[in-house]
Amino acid sequence: MSEATSKGPLSPELLARMDAYWRAANYLSVGQIYLKDNPLLERPLTLDDVKPRLLGHWGTTPGLNFLYVHWNRLIRERNLNMLYIIGPGHGGPGLVANTYLEGSYTEIYPHIEQNRDGIKRLFRQFSWPYGIPSHVAPETPGSIHEGGELGYSLVHAYGAAFDNPDLIVACVVGDGEAETGPLATSWHSNKFLNPLTDGAVLPILHLNGYKIANPTILARIPHAELENLMRGYGYEPFTLEGDDPAVMHQQAAAVFDTMLDRIAAIQKSAREDGSTARPAWPMLIMRTPKGWTGPKFVDGKPVEGTWRAHQVPLSEIFEKPEHLRQLDEWMRSYKPEELFDDKGKFREDLAEIAPKGRRRMGMNAHANGGLLLQPLKVPNFREFAVKIEGRGATDVESTRILGHLLHAVMEANREQKNFRVFGPDETASNRLGDVITGTGKAWMAETLPVDENLSETGRVMEVLSEHMCQGWLEGYLLTGRHGFFSCYEAFIHIIDSMVNQHAKWLKTTREIPWRKPIASLNYLLSSLVWRQDHNGFSHQDPGFIDHLLNKKADVVRIYLPPDANTLLSVSDHCLRSKHYINLIVAGKQPAPQWLTIDEAIAHCTTGVGVWKWASNDDPEVVMACCGDVPTLETLAAVSLLRAKVPDLRIRVVNVVDLMALEPQSEHPHGLPDEEFDRIFPVGTPVVFAFHGYPWLIHRLTYRRHNHDNIHVRGYKEEGTTTTPFDMCVLNNIDRFQLALDAITRVPRLAPQADAAQQWYSEAIQRHRLYVTENGDDLPEIRNWRWTES
Ligand SMILES: Cc1ncc(C[n+]2csc(CCOP(=O)(O)OP(=O)(O)O)c2C)c(N)n1
Ligand SMILES: [Mg+2]
């Protein structure tokens, strides 16, 4: 440390202790990457002390550690409630080191003791088979953010801050991470954060200049341009730059004091003075060397302050004695003998810098949201039920009915402020507009008289970024609240990768006893593939179902309610559930309603059911359907068959819980084989009309006894701007095709097959001519109704 401890808020004594604390964190970080023995360097390093495989990332870590010790001081001095989110999650060793130093780690994992053996285990477990991952993983105390896939730190930070007025979320954004699309848009979250009712986010752009192998864009534009960029996003940028630790500690302390004063002033002005203006929240540009305090040169090439510091700076320890020597020297530069006592315990006077109890960032309850989770109050959904007067007799927009329920949920939880609805500008379009009434849409930017329902205290979150909706919701859920995300079916794919990461988090945390279950991530996909009359091919893609199906069975649930009452029942279940990803696929267009609310509840409970009112006993063919449009086409096909082949014995089966099709061994919702065989009798042909890609049904049922007899129709990537029925025809899921399928699959009807084929061709030709001529479906198609036989 230089003599020029310069002037600043830190006393020389505190500065020395904070620097020692930082050195300890850096020492433990390096130790995790390299060592399996000799944890306190009580003897010269030998190859026996070094791990055979060196797996980890050094470059980002010293910067993260630097911030940690500064947050510790601020938390103590200002009694802050602070969460630390690390964008570059590959800096995992730093977070493990710091939660160890503050004691959280040992409390959670008692075998990682505060002594020599504990440190040895701490080192050994890192990136070790059956040890801990190299990233800030669910196993890491204090984290809600893995950071393995870069781009989501800032949006998670804002999600955590919403409705947590006392919380400050310090969020490190990697300068490489900042190049990602999701991160770039996340800066705009400040237009949705209300200083009156929400907490604060303190973004730190970690400008260490490099990514894995390249410079970063933001490090190579003039500083003024970068500051202007941040100003343009609506922040007040501060800068911290340098590499002399002592000077940097003082400057950091000064700048953080100023920034936290700014936050306090913003909050005071909103909370005490009634200001509703959008504040310019402070953010920091922290320009420090990548791999700060690490080896300056390796093999004659510069490492500290370059991209070469990204991973393991000395990687040929076993080949080059010089590397071992440099490692020894590097680790000793932190002076471990000054940091740990002779038993290996972190020195008391240094440990004191850390906050206590739940104020420690590793112990902050918001980072283990299940601890704070209050059950969502869900009013009785039966009150919103659609009255059924004849099967399929009335048309209703199913999602509009769900909107009534969501509105009631919003009202019921208004006081506990733990429910928000998210959507990329589609809440009203998806017919959920009712939820906005009286609630408002969050908006801190300017408003004009033409605007409707925008409000600083709105709880419906609308922004045209699926990434932001998803990220905010994840942050909100991970900190112990509830939410609901509605999206166009085709465009939910934009967040495929984010949902992967969330599913991993849920899977892993299920196996970590101290992590408590959080509320489920609930999706409603509407504006579905079959009803994109005005939008066409670009808006047609049901593949998110396939995507989710790859996830662990104990994490994923997929529902395709055929009408409004089943949608209500399914949604009630999803809103109350914990620790799942629930996908609900339901149409927003007026569509026939089939089940009474009692029937709907019973149907959703089993997940798959015979619709007796449309079926005969002892069936010769099963007409199965899953999804609202396939259900309509199936029932229309059944009525065609009733007219054409009156003695054909048909069973109608509807699937609302897709996972029920899987064997029970694969998914907890799977029907037992006997039950499946009862519904789909072995040897009986099944014509299955499915909402999504047809092969998915085969994937689910390939181990079922009757699989060879299941014939699936679904979306096969034939789309355009056309009529609703023509979409079905183009994909061979229309009623004529389904009826023909039934006839050609029932052996007894073989003699009628040719005539049926002829009938089908004529029907389709008539349809084609009509839609081409009139631009709409035939009246008998459009106006078709189920008639009780
Ligand atoms: C979305 C995504 N793309 C690529 C990677 C691979 N990757 C891991 S670290 C890294 C560089 C990160 O640079 P930066 O954000 O500047 O972090 P730091 O310099 O602090 O390590 C990359 C490209 C990733 N983890 N996530
Ligand atoms: Mg970087």
Side-chain angles (χ1 to χ4, degrees):
M1 206 156 59
S2 86
E3 282 306 301
T5 48
S6 66
K7 291 186 186 57
L10 304 175
S11 69
E13 178 267 334
L14 179 57
L15 186 150
R17 286 201 296 146
M18 285 176 66
D19 187 68
Y21 200 106
W22 181 44
R23 281 189 278 123
N26 287 339
Y27 178 83
L28 294 181
S29 302
V30 183
Q32 288 176 77
I33 295 172
Y34 287 96
L35 299 189
K36 63 182 166 76
D37 206 350
N38 194 9
L40 297 173
L41 293 190
E42 288 160 304
R43 46 188 170 73
L45 267 187
T46 70
L47 290 180
D48 286 343
D49 300 326
V50 179
K51 295 182 183 185
R53 295 170 352 117
L54 302 174
L55 310 166
H57 301 79
W58 162 247
T60 193
T61 306
L64 305 179
N65 290 344
F66 181 84
L67 289 168
Y68 209 107
V69 68
H70 280 268
W71 303 146
N72 279 345
R73 173 185 80 94
L74 292 159
I75 291 170
R76 286 202 61 167
E77 283 183 9
R78 296 173 181 242
N79 192 23
L80 301 179
N81 181 7
M82 189 180 258
L83 204 60
Y84 189 21
I85 290 186
I86 307 300
H90 43 278
L95 273 286
V96 170
N98 271 292
T99 49
Y100 176 77
L101 292 176
E102 72 187 15
S104 309
Y105 207 91
T106 306
E107 264 171 60
I108 292 174
Y109 303 109
H111 64 292
I112 308 292
E113 300 157 345
Q114 294 284 336
N115 57 30
R116 180 185 294 102
D117 280 350
I119 296 181
K120 183 171 154 180
R121 288 194 197 103
L122 183 85
F123 286 0
R124 211 183 134 87
Q125 65 171 5
F126 177 82
S127 283
W128 192 267
Y130 306 104
I132 62 166
S134 63
H135 283 63
V136 181
E139 290 87 341
T140 317
S143 174
I144 60 163
H145 177 86
E146 223 266 359
E149 185 168 288
L150 299 168
Y152 316 134
S153 57
L154 196 54
V155 74
H156 280 167
Y158 277 96
F162 292 137
D163 297 319
N164 269 328
D166 298 331
L167 192 64
I168 295 189
V169 189
C171 176
V172 172
V173 175
D175 50 355
E177 182 190 21
E179 294 172 12
T180 65
L183 199 295
T185 194
S186 300
W187 297 108
H188 283 306
S189 300
N190 58 2
K191 284 82 184 181
F192 299 84
L193 189 89
N194 184 345
L196 178 66
T197 49
D198 299 322
V201 173
L202 181 53
I204 315 293
L205 177 63
H206 192 190
L207 209 73
N208 60 19
Y210 296 90
K211 309 183 283 253
I212 298 177
N214 286 288
T216 59
I217 296 169
L218 297 184
R220 300 293 178 93
I221 59 175
H223 194 75
E225 193 175 325
L226 176 56
E227 280 190 344
N228 285 338
L229 178 67
M230 289 300 135
R231 275 196 199 100
Y233 276 123
Y235 293 88
E236 182 188 7
F238 290 81
T239 297
L240 174 66
E241 178 173 6
D243 59 6
D244 180 327
V247 177
M248 287 294 280
H249 284 304
Q250 287 291 22
Q251 288 182 353
V255 81
F256 288 135
D257 279 342
T258 308
M259 292 172 80
L260 283 160
D261 289 347
R262 286 284 205 283
I263 289 175
I266 288 170
Q267 292 180 334
K268 179 173 175 296
S269 139
R271 296 175 190 182
E272 291 172 28
D273 311 335
S275 165
T276 54
R278 175 167 66 91
W281 294 92
M283 64 80 58
L284 183 71
I285 299 166
M286 181 167 114
R287 210 184 270 269
T288 55
K290 190 152 183 167
W292 194 11
T293 72
K296 294 206 179 331
F297 284 85
V298 176
D299 299 330
K301 297 201 170 106
V303 171
E304 189 195 34
T306 79
W307 48 271
R308 290 195 188 89
H310 181 70
Q311 266 183 20
V312 179
L314 299 157
S315 53
E316 293 170 282
I317 303 271
F318 292 95
E319 292 80 27
K320 298 185 176 165
E322 174 60 11
H323 282 204
L324 182 68
R325 196 198 58 73
Q326 264 187 289
L327 174 62
D328 188 274
E329 186 185 320
W330 173 18
M331 291 195 72
R332 285 182 202 284
S333 75
Y334 298 120
K335 307 198 179 97
E337 65 287 355
E338 291 178 9
L339 310 173
F340 303 97
D341 69 17
D342 54 5
K343 296 198 169 58
K345 188 170 186 309
F346 189 39
R347 285 187 189 278
E348 212 52 61
D349 58 324
L350 303 180
E352 263 177 19
I353 288 175
K356 302 281 170 272
R358 287 261 173 232
R359 285 291 191 237
R360 288 171 296 178
M361 288 183 283
M363 277 294 171
N364 192 306
H366 294 283
N368 186 3
L371 288 175
L372 302 174
L373 185 67
Q374 294 297 317
L376 190 68
K377 294 179 188 155
V378 186
N380 183 0
F381 64 94
R382 287 165 175 271
E383 284 170 20
F384 308 98
V386 172
K387 210 161 177 311
I388 303 294
E389 287 156 348
R391 307 285 177 194
T394 38
D395 285 352
V396 166
E397 295 162 324
S398 295
T399 53
R400 196 176 293 284
I401 305 298
L402 173 61
H404 301 329
L405 173 64
L406 290 178
H407 180 251
V409 174
M410 199 59 104
E411 289 297 315
N413 297 278
R414 188 177 274 276
E415 225 137 84
Q416 53 187 43
K417 284 201 177 136
N418 61 348
F419 180 64
R420 290 200 185 215
V421 170
F422 300 78
D425 191 31
E426 291 159 8
T427 308
S429 165
N430 284 334
R431 312 288 191 264
L432 300 175
D434 207 28
V435 74
I436 297 168
T437 315
T439 311
K441 296 178 279 186
W443 189 258
M444 293 294 296
E446 291 169 4
T447 53
L448 294 176
V450 70
D451 298 331
E452 284 181 357
N453 296 318
L454 300 182
S455 157
E456 292 104 16
T457 53
R459 310 191 61 73
V460 175
M461 311 296 292
E462 292 225 90
V463 60
L464 209 176
S465 162
E466 285 76 6
H467 289 121
M468 278 166 87
C469 292
Q470 172 81 19
W472 283 343
L473 175 55
E474 288 177 2
Y476 201 64
L477 297 175
L478 287 161
T479 47
R481 283 79 64 72
H482 305 262
F484 194 89
F485 182 1
S486 89
C487 190
Y488 283 8
E489 184 182 45
F491 304 140
I492 193 68
H493 275 300
I494 291 172
I495 57 77
D496 274 4
S497 205
M498 293 180 81
V499 74
N500 286 346
Q501 300 302 325
H502 191 71
K504 287 172 202 292
W505 188 277
L506 293 180
K507 179 212 176 250
T508 308
T509 48
R510 239 170 221 290
E511 291 144 25
I512 300 176
W514 59 270
R515 289 258 181 208
K516 299 301 167 206
I518 58 169
S520 299
L521 171 47
N522 298 312
Y523 292 105
L524 169 75
L525 301 190
S526 202
S527 304
L528 304 178
V529 55
W530 302 109
R531 298 303 309 272
Q532 285 296 342
D533 314 2
H534 58 304
N535 285 315
F537 201 27
S538 62
H539 287 52
Q540 291 158 350
D541 193 308
F544 192 65
I545 304 173
D546 303 60
H547 180 68
L548 270 193
L549 208 65
N550 294 329
K551 307 298 152 213
K552 278 283 175 189
D554 50 8
V555 167
V556 177
R557 305 286 181 267
I558 302 173
Y559 303 98
L560 292 101
D563 67 1
N565 286 340
T566 45
L567 175 59
L568 283 175
S569 173
V570 159
S571 304
D572 172 75
H573 176 78
C574 294
L575 287 167
R576 291 170 193 278
S577 72
K578 282 191 195 173
H579 228 70
Y580 297 141
I581 295 170
N582 293 310
L583 175 64
I584 306 171
V585 181
K588 67 180 187 184
Q589 302 292 351
Q593 302 296 310
W594 309 109
L595 301 186
T596 67
I597 192 71
D598 288 332
E599 289 169 340
I601 294 167
H603 185 45
C604 294
T605 309
T606 48
V608 178
V610 176
W611 282 5
K612 291 223 173 68
W613 47 268
S615 303
N616 309 105
D617 292 336
D618 190 19
E620 294 169 280
V621 61
V622 174
M623 303 291 286
C625 46
C626 180
D628 45 15
V629 168
T631 301
L632 170 63
E633 287 308 309
T634 295
L635 289 167
V638 170
S639 53
L640 288 173
L641 286 167
R642 296 250 183 265
K644 253 195 114 35
V645 197
D647 64 341
L648 180 64
R649 297 190 307 280
I650 306 167
R651 168 178 288 174
V652 174
V653 171
N654 183 269
V655 179
V656 64
D657 178 349
L658 200 55
M659 301 317 218
L661 296 176
E662 273 199 293
Q664 218 170 21
S665 55
E666 297 296 323
H667 197 281
H669 286 193
L671 288 181
D673 272 338
E674 316 80 68
E675 185 68 5
F676 191 92
D677 294 347
R678 204 182 53 69
I679 295 173
F680 301 99
V682 179
T684 307
V686 178
V687 177
F688 199 126
F690 177 50
H691 169 85
Y693 292 103
W695 26 94
L696 179 136
I697 298 298
H698 289 297
R699 184 173 155 193
L700 293 172
T701 57
Y702 80 99
R703 279 212 254 141
R704 296 295 194 177
H705 297 137
N706 202 35
H707 177 248
D708 284 354
N709 286 312
I710 298 180
H711 308 282
V712 188
R713 297 288 180 181
Y715 179 68
K716 50 184 194 184
E717 208 66 14
E718 289 297 336
T720 180
T721 311
T722 187
T723 67
F725 185 68
D726 197 44
M727 268 301 291
C728 296
V729 172
L730 290 174
N731 289 280
N732 295 101
I733 195 177
D734 61 276
R735 57 199 69 180
F736 298 110
Q737 179 71 62
L738 299 176
L740 177 65
D741 284 348
I743 293 172
T744 53
R745 257 122 197 160
V746 174
R748 172 169 79 79
L749 301 180
Q752 300 183 30
D754 285 349
Q757 184 69 51
Q758 182 65 24
W759 163 80
Y760 166 78
S761 304
E762 283 166 11
I764 295 302
Q765 198 163 358
R766 205 168 102 71
H767 152 77
R768 288 230 163 95
L769 283 172
Y770 188 90
V771 295
T772 315
E773 188 70 20
N774 298 281
D776 203 354
D777 287 322
L778 280 156
E780 66 258 40
I781 302 284
R782 265 186 285 139
N783 303 328
W784 175 83
R785 293 282 165 198
W786 174 258
T787 44
E788 313 273 344
S789 48

